[in-house]
Amino acid sequence: MSTETATAAPSAPDTGARTPEAEGLITDARSRIDDLDGRIIGLVQERMAVSAVIQRERIASGGRRVSLAREMEILAHYRNQLGKPGTALAMTLLELSRGQI
């Protein structure tokens, strides 16, 4: 009996590709998506911080925490640019930026 243990080669994530060329393209594209996602998350976090400043100043000046008219503008902008799914995305961004009302 051998005392050596076989080490399995690290397995690459399954791309679903059927050719090496397609696998390479998909792997590269996934890497790009991962980079974009990281940038998007950073931008969302930046948006949340800017929104907190706006809310703090609005409240400190005697105003309300949320401007519903402004939120409607944001919803319309996202809907116009991205269609119906844009509205859902904008709602999520607004919720992240102001919390639930």
Coordinates of all heavy atoms in Angstrom, one line a residue:
M1 N 0.8 -1.2 0.0 CA 0.0 0.0 0.0 C 0.9 1.2 0.0 O 1.8 1.4 0.8 CB -0.9 0.0 1.3 CG -2.2 0.4 1.0 SD -3.2 0.1 2.5 CE -4.5 1.2 2.2
S2 N 0.6 2.2 -0.8 CA 1.4 3.4 -0.9 C 1.0 4.4 0.1 O -0.2 4.5 0.4 CB 1.2 3.9 -2.4 OG 1.8 5.2 -2.4
T3 N 2.0 5.1 0.7 CA 1.7 6.1 1.7 C 1.5 7.5 1.0 O 1.3 8.4 1.7 CB 2.8 6.2 2.7 OG1 4.1 6.4 2.0 CG2 2.9 4.9 3.5
E4 N 1.8 7.5 -0.3 CA 1.6 8.8 -1.0 C 0.1 9.1 -1.2 O -0.7 8.2 -1.4 CB 2.2 8.7 -2.4 CG 3.7 8.6 -2.3 CD 4.3 8.5 -3.7 OE1 3.7 9.1 -4.7 OE2 5.3 7.8 -3.9
T5 N -0.2 10.3 -1.0 CA -1.6 10.7 -1.2 C -1.7 11.5 -2.5 O -0.9 12.4 -2.8 CB -2.2 11.6 -0.1 OG1 -1.4 12.7 0.1 CG2 -2.3 10.7 1.2
A6 N -2.7 11.2 -3.3 CA -2.8 12.0 -4.5 C -3.5 13.3 -4.2 O -4.4 13.4 -3.4 CB -3.7 11.2 -5.5
T7 N -3.0 14.3 -4.8 CA -3.6 15.7 -4.7 C -4.4 16.0 -5.9 O -3.8 15.9 -7.0 CB -2.5 16.8 -4.4 OG1 -1.6 16.7 -5.5 CG2 -1.8 16.5 -3.1
A8 N -5.6 16.3 -5.7 CA -6.4 16.7 -6.9 C -6.0 18.0 -7.4 O -5.8 19.0 -6.6 CB -7.9 16.6 -6.4
A9 N -6.0 18.1 -8.7 CA -5.8 19.4 -9.3 C -7.0 20.3 -9.0 O -8.1 19.9 -9.0 CB -5.6 19.3 -10.8
P10 N -6.7 21.6 -8.8 CA -7.8 22.5 -8.5 C -8.7 22.6 -9.7 O -8.3 22.6 -10.9 CB -7.2 23.9 -8.3 CG -5.7 23.8 -8.7 CD -5.4 22.3 -8.8
S11 N -10.0 22.5 -9.5 CA -10.9 22.5 -10.6 C -11.4 23.9 -10.9 O -11.6 24.7 -10.0 CB -12.1 21.6 -10.2 OG -12.8 22.1 -9.1
A12 N -11.5 24.2 -12.2 CA -12.0 25.5 -12.6 C -13.5 25.5 -12.5 O -14.1 24.4 -12.7 CB -11.5 25.7 -14.0
P13 N -14.0 26.7 -12.3 CA -15.5 26.7 -12.3 C -16.1 26.2 -13.6 O -15.5 26.5 -14.7 CB -15.8 28.2 -12.1 CG -14.5 28.8 -11.7 CD -13.4 27.9 -12.1
D14 N -17.2 25.6 -13.6 CA -17.8 25.1 -14.8 C -18.4 26.2 -15.6 O -19.2 27.0 -15.1 CB -18.9 24.1 -14.4 CG -19.6 23.5 -15.7 OD1 -18.9 23.5 -16.7 OD2 -20.7 23.1 -15.6
T15 N -17.9 26.4 -16.8 CA -18.4 27.4 -17.7 C -19.5 27.0 -18.6 O -20.2 27.8 -19.2 CB -17.3 27.9 -18.6 OG1 -16.9 26.9 -19.5 CG2 -16.1 28.5 -17.8
G16 N -19.7 25.7 -18.7 CA -20.7 25.2 -19.6 C -20.3 25.2 -21.1 O -21.0 24.8 -21.9
A17 N -19.0 25.6 -21.3 CA -18.5 25.6 -22.6 C -18.2 24.2 -23.1 O -17.8 23.4 -22.4 CB -17.2 26.5 -22.7
R18 N -18.2 24.1 -24.4 CA -17.9 22.8 -25.0 C -16.6 22.8 -25.8 O -16.2 21.8 -26.4 CB -19.1 22.3 -25.9 CG -20.3 22.1 -25.1 CD -21.4 21.4 -25.8 NE -22.6 21.3 -25.1 CZ -23.0 20.2 -24.5 NH1 -22.3 19.1 -24.6 NH2 -24.1 20.2 -23.8
T19 N -16.0 24.0 -25.9 CA -14.7 24.0 -26.6 C -13.7 24.9 -25.7 O -14.1 25.7 -24.9 CB -14.8 24.7 -27.9 OG1 -15.1 26.1 -27.8 CG2 -15.8 24.0 -28.9
P20 N -12.4 24.6 -25.8 CA -11.4 25.4 -25.0 C -11.5 26.9 -25.4 O -11.3 27.7 -24.5 CB -10.1 24.8 -25.5 CG -10.4 23.4 -26.0 CD -11.8 23.5 -26.6
E21 N -11.8 27.2 -26.6 CA -11.9 28.6 -27.0 C -13.1 29.3 -26.3 O -12.9 30.4 -25.8 CB -12.1 28.8 -28.5 CG -10.9 28.3 -29.3 CD -10.8 26.8 -29.6 OE1 -11.8 26.1 -29.3 OE2 -9.8 26.3 -30.0
A22 N -14.2 28.6 -26.3 CA -15.4 29.2 -25.6 C -15.1 29.3 -24.1 O -15.5 30.3 -23.5 CB -16.6 28.3 -25.9
E23 N -14.5 28.3 -23.5 CA -14.2 28.3 -22.1 C -13.3 29.5 -21.8 O -13.5 30.2 -20.8 CB -13.5 27.0 -21.7 CG -13.3 27.0 -20.2 CD -12.8 25.6 -19.7 OE1 -12.7 24.7 -20.5 OE2 -12.5 25.5 -18.5
G24 N -12.3 29.8 -22.6 CA -11.4 30.9 -22.4 C -12.1 32.2 -22.5 O -12.0 33.1 -21.6
L25 N -13.0 32.3 -23.5 CA -13.8 33.6 -23.6 C -14.7 33.8 -22.4 O -14.8 34.9 -21.9 CB -14.6 33.5 -24.9 CG -15.2 34.8 -25.3 CD1 -14.4 35.5 -26.3 CD2 -16.7 34.6 -25.7
I26 N -15.4 32.7 -22.0 CA -16.3 32.8 -20.9 C -15.6 33.2 -19.6 O -16.0 34.0 -18.8 CB -17.1 31.5 -20.7 CG1 -18.1 31.4 -21.9 CG2 -17.9 31.5 -19.4 CD1 -18.7 30.0 -22.0
T27 N -14.4 32.5 -19.4 CA -13.7 32.8 -18.2 C -13.2 34.2 -18.1 O -13.3 34.9 -17.1 CB -12.4 31.8 -18.1 OG1 -12.9 30.5 -18.0 CG2 -11.6 32.1 -16.9
D28 N -12.7 34.8 -19.3 CA -12.3 36.2 -19.4 C -13.5 37.1 -19.1 O -13.4 38.1 -18.4 CB -11.7 36.5 -20.7 CG -10.3 35.8 -20.9 OD1 -9.8 35.3 -19.9 OD2 -9.8 35.7 -22.0
A29 N -14.6 36.8 -19.7 CA -15.8 37.6 -19.6 C -16.3 37.6 -18.1 O -16.7 38.7 -17.6 CB -16.9 37.2 -20.6
R30 N -16.3 36.5 -17.5 CA -16.7 36.4 -16.1 C -15.8 37.2 -15.2 O -16.2 37.9 -14.3 CB -16.7 34.9 -15.6 CG -17.9 34.2 -16.1 CD -17.9 32.8 -15.6 NE -19.1 32.0 -16.0 CZ -19.3 30.7 -15.7 NH1 -18.4 30.0 -15.1 NH2 -20.4 30.2 -16.1
S31 N -14.5 37.2 -15.5 CA -13.5 38.0 -14.8 C -13.9 39.5 -14.9 O -13.8 40.3 -14.0 CB -12.1 37.8 -15.3 OG -11.2 38.6 -14.6
R32 N -14.2 39.9 -16.2 CA -14.6 41.3 -16.4 C -15.9 41.6 -15.6 O -16.0 42.7 -15.1 CB -14.8 41.5 -17.9 CG -15.1 42.9 -18.3 CD -14.9 43.2 -19.7 NE -15.3 44.6 -20.0 CZ -16.0 44.9 -21.0 NH1 -16.3 44.1 -21.9 NH2 -16.3 46.2 -21.2
I33 N -16.9 40.7 -15.6 CA -18.1 40.9 -14.9 C -17.8 41.1 -13.4 O -18.3 42.0 -12.7 CB -19.1 39.8 -15.1 CG1 -19.7 40.0 -16.5 CG2 -20.2 39.8 -14.0 CD1 -20.7 38.9 -16.9
D34 N -16.9 40.2 -12.8 CA -16.5 40.4 -11.4 C -15.9 41.7 -11.1 O -16.2 42.3 -10.1 CB -15.5 39.3 -11.1 CG -16.1 37.9 -11.0 OD1 -17.4 37.8 -11.0 OD2 -15.4 36.9 -11.0
D35 N -15.1 42.2 -12.1 CA -14.5 43.6 -11.9 C -15.6 44.6 -11.9 O -15.6 45.5 -11.1 CB -13.5 43.8 -13.0 CG -12.9 45.2 -12.9 OD1 -12.3 45.5 -11.8 OD2 -12.9 46.0 -13.9
L36 N -16.5 44.5 -12.9 CA -17.6 45.5 -13.0 C -18.5 45.4 -11.7 O -18.9 46.5 -11.2 CB -18.5 45.2 -14.2 CG -17.8 45.5 -15.6 CD1 -18.6 44.9 -16.7 CD2 -17.7 47.0 -15.7
D37 N -18.8 44.2 -11.2 CA -19.6 44.1 -10.0 C -18.9 44.8 -8.8 O -19.5 45.5 -8.0 CB -19.8 42.7 -9.7 CG -20.9 42.0 -10.6 OD1 -21.6 42.8 -11.2 OD2 -21.0 40.8 -10.6
G38 N -17.6 44.7 -8.7 CA -16.8 45.3 -7.7 C -16.9 46.8 -7.8 O -17.1 47.5 -6.8
R39 N -16.9 47.3 -9.0 CA -17.0 48.8 -9.2 C -18.4 49.3 -8.9 O -18.6 50.3 -8.3 CB -16.5 49.1 -10.6 CG -15.0 48.9 -10.8 CD -14.5 48.9 -12.2 NE -15.1 50.0 -13.1 CZ -15.0 49.9 -14.4 NH1 -14.5 48.9 -15.0 NH2 -15.5 50.9 -15.1
I40 N -19.4 48.5 -9.3 CA -20.8 48.8 -9.1 C -21.0 48.9 -7.5 O -21.7 49.8 -7.0 CB -21.8 47.9 -9.8 CG1 -21.7 48.1 -11.3 CG2 -23.2 48.0 -9.2 CD1 -22.4 47.0 -12.1
I41 N -20.6 47.9 -6.8 CA -20.7 47.9 -5.4 C -20.1 49.1 -4.7 O -20.7 49.8 -3.9 CB -20.2 46.6 -4.8 CG1 -21.1 45.4 -5.2 CG2 -20.1 46.6 -3.2 CD1 -20.5 44.0 -4.9
G42 N -18.9 49.4 -5.2 CA -18.2 50.6 -4.7 C -19.0 51.9 -5.0 O -19.1 52.8 -4.1
L43 N -19.6 52.0 -6.1 CA -20.4 53.2 -6.5 C -21.7 53.2 -5.6 O -22.1 54.3 -5.2 CB -20.8 53.2 -8.0 CG -19.6 53.5 -8.9 CD1 -20.0 53.2 -10.4 CD2 -19.2 54.9 -8.7
V44 N -22.3 52.1 -5.4 CA -23.5 52.0 -4.5 C -23.1 52.5 -3.1 O -23.9 53.3 -2.5 CB -24.1 50.6 -4.5 CG1 -25.2 50.5 -3.4 CG2 -24.7 50.3 -5.9
Q45 N -22.0 52.0 -2.6 CA -21.6 52.5 -1.3 C -21.3 54.0 -1.3 O -21.7 54.6 -0.3 CB -20.3 51.7 -0.8 CG -20.6 50.2 -0.6 CD -19.4 49.4 -0.4 OE1 -18.3 49.6 -0.9 NE2 -19.5 48.3 0.4
E46 N -20.7 54.5 -2.3 CA -20.5 55.9 -2.4 C -21.8 56.7 -2.5 O -22.0 57.7 -1.8 CB -19.7 56.2 -3.7 CG -19.3 57.7 -3.8 CD -18.5 58.0 -5.0 OE1 -17.9 57.0 -5.6 OE2 -18.3 59.2 -5.4
R47 N -22.8 56.1 -3.2 CA -24.1 56.7 -3.3 C -24.8 56.8 -1.9 O -25.4 57.8 -1.6 CB -25.0 56.0 -4.3 CG -26.3 56.6 -4.6 CD -27.3 55.7 -5.3 NE -28.4 56.4 -5.9 CZ -29.4 56.9 -5.2 NH1 -29.4 56.8 -3.9 NH2 -30.4 57.5 -5.8
M48 N -24.7 55.7 -1.2 CA -25.2 55.6 0.2 C -24.6 56.7 1.1 O -25.4 57.3 1.8 CB -25.0 54.2 0.7 CG -25.8 53.1 0.0 SD -25.3 51.5 0.5 CE -25.7 51.4 2.2
A49 N -23.3 56.9 1.0 CA -22.7 57.9 1.8 C -23.1 59.3 1.4 O -23.4 60.1 2.3 CB -21.2 57.8 1.7
V50 N -23.3 59.6 0.1 CA -23.7 60.9 -0.3 C -25.2 61.1 0.2 O -25.5 62.2 0.6 CB -23.6 61.1 -1.8 CG1 -24.3 62.4 -2.3 CG2 -22.1 61.0 -2.2
S51 N -26.0 60.1 0.0 CA -27.4 60.2 0.5 C -27.5 60.5 2.0 O -28.3 61.3 2.4 CB -28.1 58.9 0.1 OG -29.5 59.0 0.5
A52 N -26.6 59.9 2.7 CA -26.6 60.1 4.2 C -26.3 61.6 4.5 O -26.9 62.2 5.4 CB -25.6 59.2 4.9
V53 N -25.4 62.2 3.8 CA -25.1 63.6 3.9 C -26.3 64.4 3.6 O -26.6 65.4 4.4 CB -23.9 64.0 3.0 CG1 -23.7 65.5 3.0 CG2 -22.6 63.3 3.5
I54 N -27.0 64.1 2.5 CA -28.2 64.9 2.2 C -29.2 64.8 3.2 O -29.8 65.8 3.7 CB -28.7 64.4 0.8 CG1 -27.7 64.8 -0.3 CG2 -30.1 65.0 0.5 CD1 -28.0 64.1 -1.6
Q55 N -29.5 63.6 3.7 CA -30.5 63.3 4.7 C -30.2 64.1 6.0 O -31.0 64.7 6.6 CB -30.7 61.8 5.0 CG -31.3 61.1 3.9 CD -31.4 59.6 4.2 OE1 -31.7 59.2 5.4 NE2 -31.1 58.8 3.2
R56 N -28.9 64.0 6.4 CA -28.5 64.7 7.6 C -28.7 66.2 7.6 O -29.2 66.8 8.5 CB -27.0 64.3 7.9 CG -26.5 64.6 9.3 CD -25.1 64.0 9.6 NE -24.2 64.1 8.5 CZ -23.7 63.1 7.8 NH1 -24.1 61.8 8.1 NH2 -22.8 63.2 6.8
E57 N -28.3 66.8 6.4 CA -28.5 68.2 6.2 C -29.9 68.6 6.1 O -30.3 69.7 6.7 CB -27.7 68.7 5.0 CG -26.2 68.6 5.2 CD -25.7 69.4 6.4 OE1 -26.1 70.6 6.5 OE2 -24.9 68.9 7.2
R58 N -30.7 67.8 5.5 CA -32.1 68.1 5.3 C -32.8 68.1 6.7 O -33.6 69.0 7.0 CB -32.8 67.1 4.4 CG -34.3 67.5 4.0 CD -35.0 66.5 3.2 NE -34.4 66.4 1.9 CZ -33.9 65.2 1.4 NH1 -34.1 64.1 2.0 NH2 -33.4 65.2 0.2
I59 N -32.5 67.1 7.5 CA -33.1 67.0 8.8 C -32.6 68.1 9.7 O -33.4 68.8 10.4 CB -32.8 65.6 9.5 CG1 -33.6 64.5 8.7 CG2 -33.2 65.6 10.9 CD1 -33.1 63.1 9.0
A60 N -31.3 68.4 9.6 CA -30.7 69.5 10.5 C -31.4 70.8 10.2 O -31.4 71.7 11.0 CB -29.2 69.5 10.3
S61 N -31.8 71.0 8.9 CA -32.4 72.3 8.5 C -33.9 72.3 8.8 O -34.6 73.3 8.3 CB -32.1 72.6 7.1 OG -32.8 71.7 6.2
G62 N -34.4 71.3 9.4 CA -35.9 71.2 9.7 C -36.7 70.5 8.7 O -37.9 70.5 8.8
G63 N -36.1 69.9 7.7 CA -36.8 69.2 6.6 C -37.0 67.7 7.0 O -36.7 67.2 8.0
R64 N -37.7 67.1 6.1 CA -37.9 65.6 6.2 C -36.7 64.8 5.8 O -35.9 65.3 5.0 CB -39.1 65.2 5.4 CG -40.4 65.8 5.8 CD -41.5 65.4 4.9 NE -42.8 66.0 5.4 CZ -43.9 65.3 5.6 NH1 -43.9 64.0 5.3 NH2 -45.0 65.8 6.1
R65 N -36.7 63.6 6.3 CA -35.5 62.7 6.0 C -35.5 62.4 4.5 O -34.5 62.2 3.9 CB -35.6 61.5 6.8 CG -34.5 60.5 6.6 CD -34.5 59.4 7.6 NE -35.6 58.4 7.4 CZ -35.6 57.3 6.8 NH1 -34.4 56.9 6.2 NH2 -36.6 56.5 6.7
V66 N -36.7 62.2 3.9 CA -36.8 61.8 2.5 C -37.6 62.8 1.7 O -38.6 63.3 2.1 CB -37.5 60.4 2.5 CG1 -37.8 59.9 1.0 CG2 -36.7 59.3 3.2
S67 N -37.2 63.0 0.4 CA -37.9 63.8 -0.5 C -38.6 62.9 -1.5 O -37.9 62.3 -2.4 CB -36.9 64.8 -1.2 OG -37.6 65.4 -2.3
L68 N -39.9 62.7 -1.4 CA -40.6 61.8 -2.2 C -40.6 62.3 -3.7 O -40.5 61.4 -4.6 CB -42.0 61.6 -1.7 CG -42.1 60.8 -0.4 CD1 -43.5 60.7 0.1 CD2 -41.4 59.5 -0.4
A69 N -40.6 63.6 -3.9 CA -40.6 64.1 -5.3 C -39.2 63.7 -5.9 O -39.2 63.3 -7.1 CB -40.8 65.6 -5.3
R70 N -38.1 63.8 -5.2 CA -36.8 63.5 -5.7 C -36.8 62.0 -6.0 O -36.2 61.6 -7.1 CB -35.7 63.9 -4.7 CG -34.4 63.4 -5.1 CD -33.8 64.1 -6.4 NE -32.5 63.7 -6.6 CZ -32.0 63.5 -7.8 NH1 -32.7 63.8 -8.9 NH2 -30.7 63.1 -7.9
E71 N -37.3 61.2 -5.1 CA -37.3 59.7 -5.4 C -38.1 59.4 -6.6 O -37.7 58.5 -7.4 CB -37.9 59.0 -4.1 CG -36.9 59.0 -3.0 CD -37.2 58.0 -1.9 OE1 -38.2 57.3 -2.0 OE2 -36.4 58.0 -0.9
M72 N -39.2 60.1 -6.9 CA -40.0 59.8 -8.1 C -39.2 60.2 -9.3 O -39.2 59.5 -10.3 CB -41.3 60.6 -8.1 CG -42.3 60.2 -7.0 SD -42.6 58.4 -7.0 CE -43.5 58.3 -8.5
E73 N -38.4 61.2 -9.3 CA -37.5 61.6 -10.4 C -36.5 60.5 -10.6 O -36.2 60.1 -11.8 CB -36.7 62.9 -10.1 CG -37.5 64.1 -10.1 CD -36.7 65.3 -9.6 OE1 -35.4 65.2 -9.6 OE2 -37.2 66.4 -9.3
I74 N -35.9 59.9 -9.6 CA -34.9 58.9 -9.7 C -35.6 57.6 -10.3 O -35.0 57.0 -11.2 CB -34.3 58.6 -8.3 CG1 -33.4 59.8 -7.9 CG2 -33.4 57.3 -8.4 CD1 -33.0 59.8 -6.4
L75 N -36.8 57.3 -9.8 CA -37.5 56.1 -10.3 C -37.7 56.3 -11.8 O -37.5 55.3 -12.6 CB -38.8 55.9 -9.6 CG -38.6 55.4 -8.1 CD1 -40.0 55.5 -7.4 CD2 -38.1 54.0 -8.1
A76 N -38.2 57.5 -12.2 CA -38.5 57.7 -13.6 C -37.2 57.6 -14.5 O -37.2 57.1 -15.6 CB -39.2 59.1 -13.8
H77 N -36.1 58.2 -14.0 CA -34.9 58.1 -14.7 C -34.4 56.7 -15.0 O -34.1 56.3 -16.1 CB -33.8 58.9 -13.9 CG -32.5 58.9 -14.6 ND1 -32.2 59.5 -15.8 CD2 -31.3 58.3 -14.2 CE1 -31.0 59.4 -16.1 NE2 -30.4 58.6 -15.2
Y78 N -34.4 55.9 -13.9 CA -34.0 54.5 -14.1 C -35.0 53.7 -15.0 O -34.6 52.9 -15.8 CB -33.9 53.8 -12.7 CG -32.6 54.0 -12.1 CD1 -32.2 55.2 -11.5 CD2 -31.6 53.0 -12.1 CE1 -31.0 55.4 -10.9 CE2 -30.4 53.2 -11.5 CZ -30.1 54.4 -10.9 OH -28.8 54.6 -10.3
R79 N -36.3 54.0 -14.9 CA -37.3 53.3 -15.7 C -37.1 53.7 -17.2 O -37.1 52.8 -18.1 CB -38.7 53.6 -15.3 CG -39.8 52.9 -16.1 CD -41.2 53.3 -15.6 NE -41.4 54.7 -15.7 CZ -41.5 55.5 -14.6 NH1 -41.4 55.0 -13.4 NH2 -41.8 56.8 -14.7
N80 N -36.8 55.0 -17.4 CA -36.6 55.5 -18.8 C -35.3 54.9 -19.4 O -35.3 54.6 -20.6 CB -36.5 57.0 -18.9 CG -37.9 57.6 -18.6 OD1 -38.9 57.0 -18.7 ND2 -37.8 58.9 -18.1
Q81 N -34.3 54.7 -18.6 CA -33.0 54.2 -19.1 C -33.0 52.6 -19.3 O -32.3 52.1 -20.2 CB -31.9 54.6 -18.2 CG -31.7 56.1 -18.3 CD -31.3 56.7 -19.6 OE1 -30.4 56.1 -20.3 NE2 -32.0 57.7 -20.1
L82 N -33.7 51.9 -18.3 CA -33.5 50.5 -18.3 C -34.8 49.7 -18.4 O -34.8 48.5 -18.3 CB -32.8 50.1 -16.9 CG -31.5 50.7 -16.7 CD1 -31.0 50.4 -15.3 CD2 -30.5 50.2 -17.7
G83 N -35.9 50.4 -18.6 CA -37.2 49.7 -18.7 C -37.7 49.4 -17.3 O -37.2 49.8 -16.2
K84 N -38.7 48.5 -17.3 CA -39.4 48.1 -16.0 C -38.4 47.6 -14.9 O -38.5 47.9 -13.8 CB -40.4 47.0 -16.3 CG -41.3 46.7 -15.0 CD -42.4 45.7 -15.4 CE -43.1 45.3 -14.1 NZ -44.1 44.3 -14.4
P85 N -37.4 46.8 -15.3 CA -36.4 46.3 -14.3 C -35.6 47.5 -13.7 O -35.2 47.4 -12.6 CB -35.5 45.4 -15.1 CG -36.3 44.9 -16.3 CD -37.2 46.1 -16.6
G86 N -35.5 48.6 -14.4 CA -34.8 49.8 -13.9 C -35.5 50.3 -12.7 O -34.9 50.8 -11.7
T87 N -36.9 50.2 -12.7 CA -37.6 50.7 -11.5 C -37.3 49.9 -10.3 O -37.1 50.4 -9.2 CB -39.2 50.6 -11.8 OG1 -39.4 51.4 -13.0 CG2 -40.0 51.1 -10.7
A88 N -37.2 48.6 -10.5 CA -36.9 47.7 -9.3 C -35.5 48.0 -8.8 O -35.2 48.0 -7.6 CB -37.0 46.2 -9.7
L89 N -34.5 48.2 -9.8 CA -33.2 48.5 -9.4 C -33.1 49.9 -8.6 O -32.5 50.0 -7.6 CB -32.3 48.6 -10.6 CG -30.8 49.0 -10.4 CD1 -30.1 48.1 -9.4 CD2 -30.1 49.1 -11.7
A90 N -33.9 50.9 -9.1 CA -33.9 52.2 -8.4 C -34.5 52.0 -7.0 O -34.0 52.6 -6.1 CB -34.7 53.2 -9.3
M91 N -35.5 51.2 -6.9 CA -36.2 51.0 -5.6 C -35.2 50.4 -4.6 O -35.1 50.8 -3.5 CB -37.4 50.1 -5.7 CG -38.6 50.8 -6.3 SD -39.3 52.2 -5.4 CE -39.8 51.3 -3.9
T92 N -34.4 49.5 -5.1 CA -33.4 48.8 -4.3 C -32.3 49.9 -3.9 O -31.9 49.9 -2.7 CB -32.7 47.6 -5.0 OG1 -33.7 46.7 -5.3 CG2 -31.6 47.0 -4.1
L93 N -31.8 50.7 -4.8 CA -30.9 51.7 -4.5 C -31.4 52.7 -3.5 O -30.7 53.1 -2.6 CB -30.4 52.4 -5.8 CG -29.5 51.6 -6.7 CD1 -29.4 52.4 -8.0 CD2 -28.2 51.4 -6.1
L94 N -32.7 53.1 -3.7 CA -33.3 54.1 -2.7 C -33.4 53.4 -1.3 O -33.1 54.1 -0.3 CB -34.6 54.5 -3.2 CG -34.6 55.4 -4.5 CD1 -36.0 55.6 -5.0 CD2 -34.0 56.7 -4.2
E95 N -33.8 52.2 -1.3 CA -33.9 51.5 0.0 C -32.5 51.4 0.7 O -32.4 51.7 1.9 CB -34.5 50.1 -0.2 CG -34.7 49.4 1.2 CD -35.4 48.0 1.0 OE1 -36.1 47.8 0.0 OE2 -35.1 47.2 1.9
L96 N -31.5 51.1 -0.1 CA -30.2 51.0 0.5 C -29.7 52.4 1.0 O -29.0 52.5 2.0 CB -29.2 50.5 -0.5 CG -29.2 49.0 -0.8 CD1 -28.4 48.7 -2.1 CD2 -28.7 48.2 0.4
S97 N -30.1 53.4 0.3 CA -29.6 54.8 0.6 C -30.3 55.5 1.7 O -29.8 56.4 2.3 CB -29.7 55.6 -0.7 OG -28.8 55.1 -1.7
R98 N -31.6 55.1 1.9 CA -32.4 55.8 2.9 C -33.0 54.8 3.9 O -33.6 55.3 4.9 CB -33.4 56.6 2.3 CG -34.3 55.9 1.4 CD -35.8 56.1 1.6 NE -36.6 55.7 0.4 CZ -37.1 54.5 0.2 NH1 -36.8 53.5 1.1 NH2 -37.8 54.3 -0.8
G99 N -32.9 53.6 3.7 CA -33.6 52.6 4.6 C -35.1 52.6 4.2 O -35.5 53.4 3.4
Q100 N -35.8 51.8 4.9 CA -37.2 51.7 4.6 C -38.0 52.8 5.3 O -37.6 53.2 6.4 CB -37.8 50.4 5.0 CG -37.3 49.2 4.2 CD -38.0 47.9 4.4 OE1 -39.0 47.9 5.2 NE2 -37.6 46.9 3.7
I101 N -39.0 53.4 4.7 CA -39.7 54.4 5.3 C -40.8 53.8 6.1 O -41.4 52.9 5.8 CB -40.4 55.3 4.2 CG1 -39.3 56.0 3.3 CG2 -41.2 56.4 4.8 CD1 -39.8 56.8 2.2

